[in-house]
Amino acid sequence: MRSVYSTLAEHLPQPKRSGQSFIDVYIRGEGTSVVSGLSESCHPEIKMLAETVIKTLLDPNYGISINFYKPERRKFEERMIFKYAAKKLMEQNHIDVLILARVAHGKIDLQKFQMQLAKKLGIHKNEDNDDDDDDLDFLDDVLARQIHSFLEKRNFLFVSERYLDRMTLRRVGIPSDVRIGYYSKLVFVTATPMDFELNVLLKDTNATWDLVCAQVQEYTLSQWSTSGEGVIRETLFQFFDTKNIIECIANFPWFYYVPGWKQSWLANILVVECPLDVNTRFKLVDAMLNDLYELGLAFDESLIPENFKEVSSSVGDTLPNLEVLHCSDVELDKLFSLNGCPNLRTLTLGGNKNVEVLDVSGTQLNKFPIEDCTAVPHLRHMDIVGTKCLRAVDWKQIEWLPEEVNWNEFGGENSSVWPRQEVGDVLKDENKGRVYIAVGSDMIFKTLQSTSQLWGKHFSQFLECAGGSKRFPKYISNVLIHTEFLSLYDDRSIKRLSDLQVETMAELKECWIEKCYSMETIFCLQPSSLVKPQPVLGCLENLRISEVMNATNMCSFTGSLNRGSFGRLKHMHLEYCPRLLNVFTSGLCLESLEVVEIKFCARLQEVFSGKGYNVEGSFNKLHTLRLIELPALTSIIQDVVYMPALTKIKVKGCPKLGMLPLRYTTNNRASSSKHPIPLGVTSIVVSGEPEWWKRLQWADKNVKEHICFESWPLLKIPKRS
């Protein structure tokens, strides 16, 4: 892989910087403090190396000049360690001035070196005596004296990443002799020992990546660049920060050599807050890459930790501003993620046999990413989360879907739509390996026909409508034909569930309705208007209605429905429906009903109103009846019907309820007895308030004698501690 890195480096445009110098000067008490990417919480090994350097620099036995050397050195490693050490020396008042010099390879331009140092020290050249020569070794004696005068009476530390002999330093103006009463050190950091110098070997470190990150942070904080003072130099650090540069170092070489992606990477790596043309983006990226190359941070595989060395599966890590991506016949990894590309609008896939997991979450795609199974034949799982621009899908063109699809327009862990805890528990096992879709617009289903082959192969029979839309969702009719679990949550458009062609919901098993503030009647049925004389909601087993604030009736119809309508209804739960007057308005054979629970419905007067319930088989399985805080309730049912399975009745806050629906019935053996025993009565437990129990009326007092009454426990006030 090293050959790939070196090949890439050859294609990078190199700046004309032979012998060029880059000098930073820090003066204690003036300007900014020493910019260092290392903090007190840096790697312990780095701290130990820095402490060793500090100890050496403060040891008078080492003289004024020291050469620290390290074979196969990386300049940024020693640079960061020495800068951290120098910062400590300045904080401890050992030095007043710190001079850090980087000099590129080639013959050094001493003129520019001297002029740059003078400028950093605040010394300005006298333009009247401008007698510069083309000779790179020519130095200005006036500037040299001014530099020497500035440093002569100060404690200073000079650190150069290239060896400069003392004679050269004197000509520049840097004091190179021992001065009584002042601290000064001339430090060189090189790859080999130097003759006639005191040489100290630097140890290797295993904290290279920490030093990489420190150098990047220092680079962005200091805003140093090889690009000079032009427009690009001024613009560069408006768009690069420490995080995306580190990602660039870790990911760039891998994506650079993928065919067709070079320009995409260069044009899109920037996190751009305002529009920039492509050419400007290229120039900015080139400038940044040149800087990284100069700092020793680019095209070196050994810099990257093991967890970064695998080909990144997330394009969003490196192309955050990608808008168009064509991946046909490009070899991709098993996990291919576009999550993190918020501007992506166009995606084409084709011939990608390796991809098994596809994530297009958070993009602006307005077209379904796959339509043909030949594009990604081995795709098993697809995530489409937070894609609010994907509003229309041509289902007629889609003949295939992966085994698992998680399509949630609302996205994020804070979504109020999915997974709601109770819904998630119900569907956790049933929907495993199925397609889940949660969207805010029914336009998604406009072209989805009830006869589509996707129903039998892929789609789950679950539908949840949520999000507060005020437009009637007319395009979900074909979905409802196959829906087994329907959840309406926070809907503002549906006034009657029956408007969604309830007669076609032949497979509906569970229906949850919550916070639908426009709904007036849940089921408003006219038998004469039904398409076919068939049972209505014959498969419905569980009905849960909560906080439907404007509904006056749950099920209203005239005449009679066919036998089997609501015939499998087992559980009925209603709560917080303040305007509800009754539940059913006409007779039904509720032969499967087991539990009725109604709470906090202030105007409810009757549960089962009208007549026609007293038919064979009706209420045969009802075993639990809970009525809580229904102050207007006067009757559960007009007819006193036979409920042989009834064992629990709980009543609280129903002061107007004067009679329980208990029928006096005997078996054949007891019918001739002087005191026949009501079947099932001896097993009934009634929980309620004592005052209400005393006021209760009975069609036959013998029934009361065979019922076990339990008083609601009184509210206990905790004792004061």
Side-chain angles (χ1 to χ4, degrees):
M1 188 60 70
R2 286 181 182 273
S3 60
V4 173
Y5 279 78
S6 59
T7 302
L8 296 177
E10 293 175 1
H11 292 284
L12 184 66
Q14 302 294 317
K16 297 178 180 180
R17 57 172 182 269
S18 177
Q20 186 176 354
S21 304
F22 306 99
I23 299 176
D24 291 322
V25 173
Y26 300 93
I27 303 173
R28 186 158 59 89
E30 299 181 18
T32 59
S33 59
V34 180
V35 179
S36 175
L38 294 172
S39 64
E40 293 297 327
S41 59
C42 64
H43 195 285
E45 189 174 336
I46 297 174
K47 272 190 173 182
M48 184 176 66
L49 289 172
E51 289 171 359
T52 302
V53 169
I54 292 173
K55 184 177 180 181
T56 303
L57 293 177
L58 293 179
D59 191 338
N61 296 321
Y62 282 94
I64 190 174
S65 179
I66 306 176
N67 178 53
F68 290 88
Y69 73 97
K70 180 181 176 182
E72 298 182 4
R73 62 183 285 259
R74 298 188 185 96
K75 294 181 180 181
F76 71 88
E77 290 185 353
E78 293 75 37
R79 183 185 307 130
M80 289 296 98
I81 292 172
F82 273 88
K83 203 164 189 179
Y84 180 80
K87 182 178 180 181
K88 289 295 180 184
L89 289 173
M90 185 168 284
E91 291 173 352
Q92 297 168 9
N93 296 329
H94 290 293
I95 60 175
D96 303 313
V97 179
L98 169 63
I99 302 172
L100 299 173
R102 292 193 300 274
V103 182
H105 294 293
K107 185 176 181 180
I108 185 170
D109 187 337
L110 289 177
Q111 283 189 36
K112 291 184 177 179
F113 184 93
Q114 184 189 47
M115 291 175 63
Q116 189 178 160
L117 175 59
K119 183 177 180 180
K120 293 284 185 175
L121 292 173
I123 301 170
H124 301 286
K125 182 179 179 181
N126 188 349
E127 298 181 358
D128 294 336
N129 296 323
D130 190 1
D131 53 355
D132 287 351
D133 194 278
D134 292 335
D135 184 2
L136 300 181
D137 289 333
F138 177 82
L139 293 172
D140 189 319
D141 291 338
V142 176
L143 277 183
R145 288 194 295 271
Q146 289 176 315
I147 292 172
H148 187 277
S149 176
F150 184 93
L151 296 174
E152 186 180 19
K153 302 297 182 180
R154 287 181 169 88
N155 302 314
F156 73 89
L157 172 64
F158 174 81
V159 181
S160 173
E161 295 179 10
R162 183 170 174 177
Y163 180 74
L164 299 172
D165 59 69
R166 293 196 193 184
M167 179 62 69
T168 300
L169 293 178
R170 290 193 189 98
R171 292 179 58 211
V172 171
I174 299 174
S176 56
D177 297 316
V178 176
R179 298 167 300 141
I180 304 300
Y182 293 97
Y183 174 90
S184 61
K185 285 287 182 181
L186 305 176
V187 175
F188 309 101
V189 186
T190 63
T192 58
M194 292 291 144
D195 294 335
F196 310 111
E197 293 289 351
L198 183 61
N199 296 289
V200 177
L201 177 65
L202 285 172
K203 294 182 179 180
D204 288 324
T205 174
N206 294 318
T208 301
W209 185 248
D210 296 77
L211 293 170
V212 168
C213 297
Q215 175 64 89
V216 172
Q217 185 175 6
E218 188 267 346
Y219 166 66
T220 54
L221 290 175
S222 64
Q223 298 193 355
W224 164 88
S225 178
T226 59
S227 59
E229 302 296 333
V231 176
I232 295 298
R233 167 69 175 78
E234 296 174 357
T235 310
L236 183 64
F237 295 98
Q238 296 179 28
F239 303 110
F240 284 113
D241 57 25
T242 302
K243 182 177 181 295
N244 58 37
I245 293 178
I246 290 175
E247 290 176 350
C248 163
I249 294 170
N251 292 287
F252 164 72
W254 304 103
F255 280 96
Y256 195 88
Y257 68 81
V258 175
W261 282 27
K262 175 179 177 179
Q263 290 188 345
S264 295
W265 192 92
L266 289 174
N268 290 281
I269 186 64
L270 301 181
V271 180
V272 182
E273 298 179 358
C274 63
L276 287 177
D277 61 84
V278 174
N279 288 332
T280 302
R281 294 187 188 187
F282 275 122
K283 291 178 181 178
L284 287 174
V285 175
D286 277 341
M288 186 268 293
L289 292 177
N290 283 325
D291 290 350
L292 296 183
Y293 189 71
E294 171 62 27
L295 294 172
L297 297 177
F299 311 110
D300 187 350
E301 182 196 14
S302 60
L303 293 181
I304 305 172
E306 290 298 326
N307 59 323
F308 280 96
K309 286 186 180 180
E310 296 181 2
V311 177
S312 175
S313 60
S314 177
V315 178
D317 289 343
T318 52
L319 306 176
N321 297 290
L322 187 65
E323 297 178 3
V324 178
L325 181 60
H326 301 289
C327 291
S328 298
D329 300 319
V330 175
E331 186 174 348
L332 303 174
D333 202 0
K334 291 183 178 181
L335 169 61
F336 185 56
S337 175
L338 292 163
N339 192 342
C341 299
N343 299 316
L344 183 66
R345 293 178 173 85
T346 303
L347 171 66
T348 57
L349 297 168
N352 303 116
K353 297 181 179 180
N354 293 335
V355 179
E356 296 181 6
V357 178
L358 174 64
D359 188 354
V360 294
S361 301
T363 63
Q364 293 192 40
L365 293 177
N366 55 21
K367 182 181 179 182
F368 199 70
I370 58 171
E371 294 181 352
D372 185 0
C373 62
T374 61
V376 276
H378 297 111
L379 187 64
R380 297 181 295 100
H381 180 96
M382 182 165 62
D383 287 313
I384 315 173
V385 180
T387 50
K388 296 186 177 182
C389 293
L390 189 57
R391 289 290 185 179
V393 178
D394 189 359
W395 294 104
K396 297 177 183 178
Q397 301 296 323
I398 300 175
E399 299 179 353
W400 170 88
L401 287 173
E403 295 176 7
E404 297 180 358
V405 178
N406 178 28
W407 185 352
N408 188 342
E409 174 188 315
F410 304 93
E413 297 179 357
N414 297 325
S415 171
S416 62
V417 180
W418 178 266
R420 296 197 352 243
Q421 182 63 43
E422 60 272 22
V423 176
D425 293 342
V426 171
L427 300 176
K428 184 177 181 181
D429 297 325
E430 295 182 5
N431 279 332
K432 188 175 182 181
R434 303 286 286 188
V435 175
Y436 169 73
I437 300 177
V439 292
S441 171
D442 61 310
M443 291 293 293
I444 292 293
F445 306 109
K446 184 176 181 179
T447 62
L448 181 60
Q449 299 297 319
S450 60
T451 56
S452 172
Q453 61 183 2
L454 295 174
W455 284 109
K457 293 182 179 180
H458 303 288
F459 282 156
S460 168
Q461 282 71 43
F462 164 73
L463 174 66
E464 179 168 12
C465 299
S469 174
K470 294 183 179 181
R471 189 182 65 82
F472 185 78
K474 61 181 179 180
Y475 294 119
I476 65 172
S477 298
N478 290 329
V479 179
L480 289 172
I481 293 176
H482 298 276
T483 300
E484 293 182 4
F485 190 113
L486 173 63
S487 174
L488 295 180
Y489 181 82
D490 192 25
D491 181 84
R492 307 297 176 96
S493 62
I494 301 174
K495 292 185 177 181
R496 292 174 296 274
L497 186 61
S498 49
D499 291 342
L500 296 174
Q501 300 179 9
V502 69
E503 68 272 10
T504 65
M505 303 180 195
E507 299 182 20
L508 187 63
K509 293 181 179 179
E510 298 202 21
C511 181
W512 293 21
I513 301 175
E514 184 176 353
K515 295 184 179 179
C516 295
Y517 300 117
S518 296
M519 191 166 287
E520 299 171 356
T521 302
I522 312 299
F523 305 106
C524 184
L525 306 173
Q526 300 295 332
S528 60
S529 64
L530 298 179
V531 178
K532 296 180 180 180
Q534 59 186 7
V536 177
L537 298 171
C539 291
L540 184 63
E541 297 179 3
N542 297 319
L543 179 62
R544 182 185 182 93
I545 300 174
S546 175
E547 297 183 63
V548 182
M549 312 303 285
N550 292 313
T552 56
N553 301 98
M554 190 198 80
C555 184
S556 174
F557 57 91
T558 57
S560 60
L561 298 177
N562 287 347
R563 180 77 180 253
S565 298
F566 295 93
R568 295 186 186 179
L569 183 61
K570 295 180 180 180
H571 301 271
M572 184 171 65
H573 181 101
L574 290 81
E575 64 179 10
Y576 299 106
C577 301
R579 296 189 179 183
L580 191 67
L581 300 177
N582 51 54
V583 181
F584 289 98
T585 61
S586 187
L588 286 172
C589 181
L590 301 172
E591 53 192 333
S592 301
L593 190 61
E594 297 177 5
V595 178
V596 175
E597 184 170 4
I598 307 176
K599 301 178 180 179
F600 306 104
C601 298
R603 297 185 183 180
L604 184 67
Q605 299 174 4
E606 196 169 14
V607 180
F608 304 100
S609 62
K611 296 184 178 182
Y613 300 97
N614 198 359
V615 296
E616 184 178 356
S618 190
F619 299 110
N620 271 357
K621 296 182 180 181
L622 182 63
H623 58 77
T624 301
L625 187 61
R626 298 189 185 95
L627 305 171
I628 310 296
E629 299 298 335
L630 309 174
L633 183 66
T634 59
S635 172
I636 297 174
I637 190 170
Q638 292 182 10
D639 295 330
V640 179
V641 297
Y642 180 43
M643 301 180 181
L646 191 61
T647 57
K648 294 181 181 179
I649 301 177
K650 292 189 176 183
V651 179
K652 184 178 182 181
C654 306
K656 295 183 180 181
L657 181 60
M659 184 176 291
L660 295 177
L662 298 177
R663 180 179 176 182
Y664 183 80
T665 306
T666 62
N667 59 20
N668 293 331
R669 181 180 299 179
S671 61
S672 60
S673 173
K674 187 175 181 180
H675 299 288
I677 301 174
L679 286 179
V681 168
T682 54
S683 62
I684 295 179
V685 177
V686 177
S687 301
E689 297 142 317
E691 293 299 322
W692 166 79
W693 177 254
K694 291 177 182 179
R695 295 195 304 268
L696 205 58
Q697 298 178 5
W698 302 90
D700 190 327
K701 293 184 179 180
N702 289 328
V703 176
K704 182 178 181 181
E705 294 175 359
H706 295 281
I707 294 177
C708 177
F709 173 73
E710 293 181 353
S711 176
W712 278 93
L714 296 176
L715 179 63
K716 294 183 179 180
I717 301 176
K719 295 180 180 180
R720 294 182 179 178
S721 57

